Amino acid sequence: MKIYSKEELNENSLSLTYDDISLVPIEISEIRSRVEAATKISFLGMNLGLPVVSSPMDSVTGLDMAVELNKLGCLGIVNRFDSSLEDIIKNGKTSSEIKAVSIALNSPDQLIDSLAEKGYIICLDTANASNKAVLQKCEEIKTKHKVKIIVGNIAQGSILKELVNAGADAVRIGIGGGSVCTTSIQTGIGIGQVSSLLDVYFARENENLNIELIADGGIKSPGDIAKAISLGADAVMLGRMLSGTRETPGEVIKYNDQLWKKYRGSASFGVKMKNEFIEGEETMISYKGAVKNVIDGISDGLRSSMSYMNCKDIATLKKSNSFAVLSNSSYLERLPKK
Ligand code: IMP
């Protein structure tokens, strides 16, 4: 079997996603137990305990989720539809436990000014950052305010330099890969998440650009997070993995003797509720209880992966350079059987 470096994986003839690859431990690990592996990172000037960012979706990150994730050492980005944001802005309420919020391209200046003055990280939440209006908005905000800006989304690296020139501090990578995303079906746009991430990663490395990379969409498990970081992502953004937890906005619903919570795309009918183009689905997720359990599972899985890969910290994991491309049968063999 061929062991692929990042460069070789990036040159693969077909677009790849997480299930197409596997990490290959090639060193004798010096890590005795996974607790020795350190998952802390510095991200957008903040110290995080884990490279995990929540998606600014209205069924994922409200204030409760953002506050809890902050406690758990992760970054929560409050969704731009959240009505409690108004409290923060109009009544001057600030919470030191919330670090980031999302805005739309057409969000009022007053909102953006107020968020920037309070020192929040701003996430310019758009479906396609490879767009003039997005670049202009990013530049406008950065010229006016000293803030950190996350922009997105992009699926390959050709626009990265323009984003950096416009002042973007981090970029969300992934189009068409989200679990409730129908962009590819509706438009034919979107490539596999592994290929997207590598293309942007090499654009950054080759052009020596200063921007942090967020792997966004299609992440189903702690193993996928380990893969994304090994491919060079600075952090991952999660929607579905955090959905259905106690801290997500929305009610717990009892149906067929089971508990559920709603999870929906930002471009789904339920969010738009008007005659706009729909590029997202709505679904029900089995109730998962406290988000802490999910985050603990991620922490354990990631540390275990780092111990296999002989990586004592995230910086070392990001330098991983040994991957396998899986045949369909070997992918299936990896799944537990009943
Ligand atoms: P997931 O973790 O696989 O569920 O993906 C979450 C990501 O899907 C988000 O962070 C967005 O980038 C993307 N996303 C959210 N809503 C929509 C939508 O309605 N259409 C397309 N993509 C979406």
Side-chain angles (χ1 to χ4, degrees):
M1 182 197 78
K2 181 176 166 64
I3 294 184
Y4 289 74
S5 64
K6 281 193 186 65
E7 284 88 352
E8 288 168 324
L9 216 49
N10 193 35
E11 281 159 16
N12 195 71
S13 57
L14 300 176
S15 121
L16 300 170
T17 192
Y18 298 115
D19 287 348
D20 295 320
I21 65 156
S22 185
L23 303 176
V24 185
I26 51 172
E27 289 175 17
I28 295 175
S29 183
E30 290 172 15
I31 298 173
R32 282 204 231 163
S33 140
R34 63 169 190 261
V35 291
E36 287 177 22
T39 55
K40 60 181 191 290
I41 58 159
S42 165
F43 182 72
L44 292 176
M46 283 179 322
N47 294 320
L48 299 182
L50 267 180
V52 169
V53 180
S54 72
S55 182
M57 296 162 78
D58 79 336
S59 52
V60 177
T61 321
L63 295 189
D64 287 352
M65 177 64 88
V67 168
E68 183 62 14
L69 286 177
N70 186 50
K71 277 192 204 144
L72 297 169
C74 305
L75 176 64
I77 306 180
V78 177
N79 79 81
R80 60 195 154 93
F81 312 98
D82 200 301
S83 55
S84 43
L85 266 187
E86 290 191 6
D87 257 9
I88 298 179
I89 297 141
K90 291 209 180 108
N91 307 331
K93 273 194 202 161
T94 17
S95 168
S96 57
E97 293 162 306
I98 300 162
K99 308 287 181 203
V101 289
S102 66
I103 57 158
L105 200 51
N106 61 359
S107 289
D109 285 349
Q110 186 206 355
L111 169 70
I112 298 168
D113 295 348
S114 170
L115 294 173
E117 276 156 27
K118 292 185 172 70
Y120 292 114
I121 293 168
I122 288 179
C123 174
L124 184 50
D125 188 22
T126 73
N128 177 23
S130 186
N131 177 291
K132 266 206 172 138
V134 177
L135 290 167
Q136 277 163 4
K137 191 77 191 171
C138 181
E139 196 167 353
E140 186 189 306
I141 297 170
K142 285 295 276 199
T143 312
K144 204 163 161 196
H145 303 285
K146 201 169 173 292
V147 278
K148 298 274 186 197
I149 295 200
I150 303 171
V151 272
N153 281 32
I154 61 170
Q156 38 81 43
S158 58
I159 194 210
L160 198 65
K161 199 170 185 174
E162 267 84 358
L163 283 172
V164 172
N165 290 342
D169 298 285
V171 62
R172 293 163 65 183
I173 303 160
I175 291 184
S179 66
V180 280
C181 171
T182 56
T183 299
S184 273
I185 295 164
Q186 300 292 357
T187 68
I189 310 292
I191 55 173
Q193 288 299 111
V194 165
S195 297
S196 271
L197 187 49
L198 282 171
D199 196 70
V200 180
Y201 173 80
F202 281 110
R204 181 183 71 177
E205 298 304 296
N206 296 340
E207 298 182 59
N208 214 358
L209 301 173
N210 186 16
I211 187 164
E212 302 201 67
L213 311 181
I214 305 172
D216 176 21
I219 291 177
K220 309 171 294 306
S221 58
D224 286 349
I225 298 176
K227 289 177 189 179
I229 303 294
S230 300
L231 292 163
D234 297 295
V236 295
M237 180 171 277
L238 306 178
R240 194 178 198 94
M241 277 189 79
L242 303 178
S243 69
T245 56
R246 186 179 65 198
E247 291 79 0
T248 58
E251 301 293 309
V252 178
I253 299 153
K254 191 167 181 194
Y255 177 71
N256 267 354
D257 284 337
Q258 272 201 326
L259 299 179
W260 308 86
K261 281 188 100 165
K262 195 192 273 185
Y263 178 48
R264 64 187 186 184
S266 301
S268 64
F269 177 77
V271 174
K272 298 204 154 186
M273 286 303 233
K274 47 189 159 163
N275 198 16
E276 280 186 71
F277 189 58
I278 304 299
E279 279 185 35
E281 300 257 298
E282 300 185 38
T283 188
M284 301 300 276
I285 304 283
S286 287
Y287 182 59
K288 297 177 188 164
V291 72
K292 181 175 188 304
N293 299 332
V294 176
I295 298 296
D296 286 349
I298 291 173
S299 173
D300 287 346
L302 188 56
R303 283 172 206 267
S304 190
S305 178
M306 291 165 75
S307 131
Y308 275 105
M309 296 297 287
N310 193 28
C311 299
K312 61 182 189 327
D313 52 29
I314 294 289
T316 318
L317 186 66
K318 278 192 214 166
K319 292 194 189 114
S320 299
N321 225 8
S322 50
F323 302 88
V325 175
L326 303 177
S327 71
N328 196 31
S329 316
S330 60
Y331 164 70
L332 292 174
E333 187 187 55
R334 247 103 293 292
L335 302 177
K337 316 291 179 302
K338 282 207 175 144

